[in-house]
Amino acid sequence: MKKKLYIMITFNIYNMGGGQTYTWGKCEYLDSHGWDTAVYCSGGVERVCRFPYLNKYSPGVLPFLSLDPVKLGQKCIDLAIKRMISAYRLNVNQYSQIIVESSENICSLWGELLAEKIGAKHIIFNCNESFSLPKTYSQYLDFYDFKFRRKELYGINNNALLDLFQGKKTIETADEFVFTAYNPLNVVQDVCDPRLNKIKKFDWSIGYFGRSNKGYFDFVMQDIALFAQKYRDKSIQLVIIGDVSGKERFIGNTFENVLNVSIVKMGDMVPVHKAIFNKVDVMIAGAGCAIWSYLQNVFTLIPDSKNYMANGLLGYDTLSTLRAETKEIQSSFSRYLEKVLVDKIYNASVRKKIDFEMSDLKHDKRYEKHFEIIGNSTSKMEYYDFNLSQKQCLLNKAKMLIIYNRKVYNSIRRLRNFLR
């Protein structure tokens, strides 16, 4: 009996974040349901995964996956695909079904090329919150339109594909092209960690939970500093959960003259310790981190993934962990901190219940929805012709050059006529 193979191409398996927890959770599910799994990414400076389950996919860490394959040329692409296959010693002929899932940007280009080479179905479950430069989406809108028409392109919220196509495509049923990047159930655990002793009792304790390379991180820190300066008579503790090694100088400069703030840097926590949520009065978090905070019954303030403003508290002002449903709910982080800590306008008894489908009962059924999406896509195996795309690009450049030269020629001719 032939086996089934599921391949994921993502941006990084080493760090701690939503993308990594999604990859971990999905691979764990697939492994337990009879699939062989392989994960590819371009990697980073780290060599040990924050989530130990992902360490077994280290053969798939290939630095060239950070490069735009379409610009490498066919010979390089062929060599790269051969390297991807050999990394796991894949014998594709032994599988009755092969699915390639890519998560974003450059990954989706590699996913299409690999899928074509091995005769696999390629689905793009795009995990990005932002689609602007330096990402390359705008260069390949024809490709994404091709995948969209085949129902092989999905985003993490209603706005994702609209943002990806940058207003150049109307999608009347955007909610049909949304998938949920489910996380494992055991990210938050009741375990002992001596680092928790660093968190002391202050008048107010504010938490930040997530990666420091998020676009809104700087705005959050600056607003916390403004809030603290306004209430200098209060002692404030800032607890940061996540690696901030790349932001040390920025944090230091932001709080240099804010004397009533004590900063506790917890670093990456795997698992996340349940007790930490009882030690903060409000947690600022987005996406998956916001879900975990909400489920631990702590006030959770949501940063907007697009314009970096505050969307209010999850379950009170908003039901989204990524984007504001209306502009009216948006304000500064300092103003919302004031509402929570000073005005105390929020009451846990009126918090709206949000079903994130995180219970054990639904655990085995969560990823079945992904296979329903794949089953609804176009069954005929077709792949995008990037060579045609490149030819069209060169043709467009040639046309622009002709137009430019014609304008230059006409300008010179007008200048000569004027001088005469």
Side-chain angles (χ1 to χ4, degrees), residues 207-342:
Y208 174 86
F209 183 16
R211 298 202 311 272
S212 61
N213 63 354
K214 291 281 189 178
Y216 47 71
F217 179 83
D218 292 6
F219 296 89
V220 170
M221 295 296 115
Q222 288 167 348
D223 264 19
I224 292 174
L226 288 173
F227 173 76
Q229 287 174 321
K230 185 174 180 179
Y231 296 96
R232 288 190 176 90
D233 59 322
K234 297 290 185 180
S235 61
I236 299 173
Q237 181 174 226
L238 171 58
V239 180
I240 304 177
I241 307 170
D243 179 38
V244 293
S245 55
K247 290 286 186 176
E248 292 282 4
R249 179 176 294 180
F250 170 78
I251 294 171
N253 292 338
T254 301
F255 292 95
E256 184 177 10
N257 299 314
V258 188
L259 304 181
N260 59 326
V261 173
S262 176
I263 302 175
V264 180
K265 301 166 188 172
M266 303 299 290
D268 287 339
M269 303 183 80
V270 182
V272 181
H273 309 292
K274 192 172 184 177
I276 202 167
F277 297 97
N278 297 323
K279 291 179 175 288
V280 297
D281 300 300
V282 57
M283 186 74 79
I284 302 174
C289 295
I291 294 174
W292 300 325
S293 297
Y294 172 91
L295 293 174
Q296 294 304 314
N297 298 313
V298 64
F299 289 134
T300 305
L301 179 54
I302 305 296
D304 193 277
S305 61
K306 186 174 184 180
N307 63 16
Y308 308 150
M309 293 186 70
N311 294 342
L313 265 57
L314 187 61
Y316 299 90
D317 306 294
T318 180
L319 301 179
S320 171
T321 62
L322 293 169
R323 296 278 290 275
E325 294 94 338
T326 63
K327 290 183 179 179
E328 287 71 26
I329 66 173
Q330 292 198 310
S331 187
S332 65
F333 294 97
S334 57
R335 178 64 191 120
Y336 268 112
L337 289 173
E338 206 166 38
K339 287 183 178 182
V340 176
L341 302 173
V342 182

Side-chain angles (χ1 to χ4, degrees), residues 404-420:
Y404 174 77
N405 287 338
R406 188 176 296 158
K407 286 182 177 179
V408 170
Y409 172 76
N410 288 336
S411 296
I412 293 172
R413 190 178 63 179
R414 283 195 297 269
L415 179 61
R416 283 175 177 172
N417 292 336
F418 174 77
L419 292 175
R420 285 173 184 167

Side-chain angles (χ1 to χ4, degrees), residues 8-23:
M8 297 183 73
I9 306 179
T10 185
F11 41 90
N12 193 303
I13 60 171
Y14 289 125
N15 295 342
M16 179 182 178
Q20 290 76 24
T21 51
Y22 165 61
T23 304

